C-alpha cells in the first residue's frame, strides 16, 4: 500500500471515531431529555454512567490526530482536517457533558410535578438535536451549505431559550429549587446548540480555508 493510500485510510479512521463520538453525544442529549420528560431516574443514571465512553473517545481522537501530524506532516487541507477533528471532538465531548448535566438536573427535580409545561424545552431539544445530526452529516460530506444552515438554526434556539427564561421568571416564587434546575436545563440545551455551531464553523474553515462570514 502506498503512503497516500494509508494516510487516506487513517483520515477515514479519524472521521469514523468522530462519528462514533457524535453518536454518544446525541444519545446523551436525547436520553437525558427523555429521562426528564418521563421523570425516569434509572434512565438518568444510565446516561451519567455512560459518559465515560465519550471521554475516552475524545482522548483517543486527540492522540490519533497528534500521531498523524507527527508521522505524516500534512499540509493544506489535510492539516486543516486533522486540526478541525481535534476541535470538533472537544465540542462534541462538551455536548455529551451537557447531556449528563441535564440527567443530573432531572434527578434533582425527581418525581415532583413540573411547575410549567416542557413544551418550549422540547422544542429547544428537538432543534438542538437536529443541529447535532446535521453537523455530523456536514462533516462527513464536507458540506458548507449545510454548515451555514446550522449556524442560522442557532438563532431559533436562542429565541426559545429567552422564552424559557421569561416563563421561569414569572414562576420564581413557586419552587425555587425546580426553577433553578429548569433554568440550568435550558442553559445546557442552549450551550449544546452553541457547540454545534462551533462544529459548523470549523467545517466551513476545513473546506474553504477561512472562517464563516455571516455577511457572505
Amino acid at each position: 500500500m502506498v503512503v497516500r493510500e494509508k494516510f487516506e485510510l487513517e483520515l477515514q479512521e479519524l472521521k469514523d471515531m468522530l462519528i462514533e463520538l457524535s453518536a454518544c453525544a446525541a444519545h446523551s442529549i436525547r436520553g437525558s431529555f427523555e429521562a426528564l420528560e418521563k421523570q425516569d431516574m434509572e434512565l438518568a443514571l444510565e446516561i451519567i454512567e455512560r459518559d465515560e465512553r465519550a471521554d475516552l473517545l475524545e482522548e483517543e481522537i486527540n492522540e490519533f490526530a497528534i500521531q498523524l501530524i507527527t508521522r505524516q506532516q500534512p499540509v493544506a487541507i489535510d492539516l486543516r482536517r486533522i486540526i478541525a477533528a481535534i476541535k470538533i471532538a472537544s465540542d462534541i465531548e462538551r455536548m455529551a457533558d451537557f447531556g449528563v448535566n441535564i440527567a443530573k438536573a432531572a434527578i434533582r427535580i425527581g418525581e415532583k410535578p413540573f411547575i410549567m409545561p416542557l413544551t418550549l424545552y422540547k422544542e429547544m431539544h428537538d432543534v438542538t438535536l437536529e443541529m447535532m445530526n446535521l453537523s455530523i452529516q456536514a462533516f462527513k460530506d464536507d458540506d458548507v451549505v449545510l454548515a451555514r444552515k446550522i449556524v442560522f438554526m442557532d438563532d431559533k434556539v436562542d429565541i426559545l431559550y429567552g422564552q424559557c427564561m421569561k416563563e421561569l421568571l414569572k414562576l420564581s416564587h413557586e419552587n425555587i429549587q425546580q426553577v433553578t434546575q429548569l433554568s440550568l436545563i435550558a442553559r445546557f440545551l442552549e450551550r449544546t446548540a452553541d457547540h454545534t455551531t462551533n462544529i459548523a464553523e470549523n467545517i466551513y474553515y476545513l473546506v474553504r480555508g477561512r472562517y464563516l462570514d455571516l455577511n457572505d
Side-chain angles (χ1 to χ4, degrees):
M1 182 182 297
V2 299
V3 174
R4 183 64 200 182
E5 288 178 350
K6 184 176 186 299
F7 185 42
E8 290 289 349
L9 288 174
E10 288 175 327
L11 287 175
Q12 183 59 50
E13 184 177 353
L14 182 63
K15 181 180 284 191
D16 291 342
M17 292 166 72
L18 275 167
I19 292 169
E20 182 181 353
L21 179 57
S22 72
C24 288
H27 176 80
S28 182
I29 294 294
R30 188 187 306 108
S32 63
F33 195 81
E34 181 182 345
L36 173 70
E37 283 186 304
K38 296 180 178 179
Q39 298 186 298
D40 185 336
M41 301 302 103
E42 288 187 12
L43 178 56
L45 287 171
E46 177 191 328
I47 295 300
I48 294 168
E49 290 168 1
R50 287 171 62 100
D51 184 54
E52 185 178 352
R53 178 56 183 156
D55 293 338
L56 290 174
L57 264 174
E58 187 200 8
E59 290 178 11
E60 290 173 12
I61 288 167
N62 288 340
E63 289 176 8
F64 190 64
I66 291 169
Q67 289 174 14
L68 282 180
I69 293 172
T70 303
R71 291 200 319 268
Q72 302 290 348
Q73 297 183 338
V75 295
I77 192 169
D78 289 333
L79 180 59
R80 292 203 304 271
R81 190 174 299 282
I82 296 171
I83 292 173
I86 294 172
K87 291 181 178 180
I88 289 170
S90 176
D91 282 309
I92 296 175
E93 193 277 331
R94 287 298 296 132
M95 291 191 286
D97 284 346
F98 290 135
V100 170
N101 291 341
I102 292 170
K104 289 178 179 178
I107 290 172
R108 293 188 187 103
I109 292 172
E111 298 179 355
K112 296 176 183 176
F114 290 114
I115 59 175
M116 64 179 284
L118 297 181
T119 308
L120 289 171
Y121 291 87
K122 180 66 167 65
E123 190 174 355
M124 196 187 311
H125 163 269
D126 290 349
V127 175
T128 299
L129 199 60
E130 183 183 2
M131 290 172 69
M132 292 174 69
N133 292 333
L134 290 176
S135 69
I136 201 61
Q137 189 62 50
F139 175 72
K140 287 165 66 175
D141 299 339
D142 289 345
D143 190 334
V144 294
V145 174
L146 199 52
R148 285 179 62 88
K149 179 181 178 181
I150 293 162
V151 171
F152 286 108
M153 287 174 71
D154 186 52
D155 292 340
K156 184 172 184 180
V157 176
D158 290 340
I159 291 169
L160 289 167
Y161 174 68
Q163 291 173 342
C164 283
M165 299 310 292
K166 284 179 182 177
E167 292 301 316
L168 286 172
L169 283 173
K170 295 176 185 176
L171 300 169
S172 58
H173 62 285
E174 295 282 342
N175 182 332
I176 189 62
Q177 196 267 352
Q178 191 175 134
V179 166
T180 300
Q181 297 308 315
L182 288 174
S183 66
L184 286 173
I185 290 168
R187 180 60 174 163
F188 296 143
L189 289 171
E190 190 269 339
R191 290 295 295 138
T192 300
D194 284 345
H195 281 277
T196 306
T197 300
N198 290 345
I199 293 172
E201 290 173 345
N202 276 302
I203 292 166
Y204 196 92
Y205 173 74
L206 163 65
V207 177
R208 294 286 174 85
R210 59 186 175 86
Y211 285 100
L212 179 60
D213 184 351
L214 296 182
N215 295 315
D216 280 357

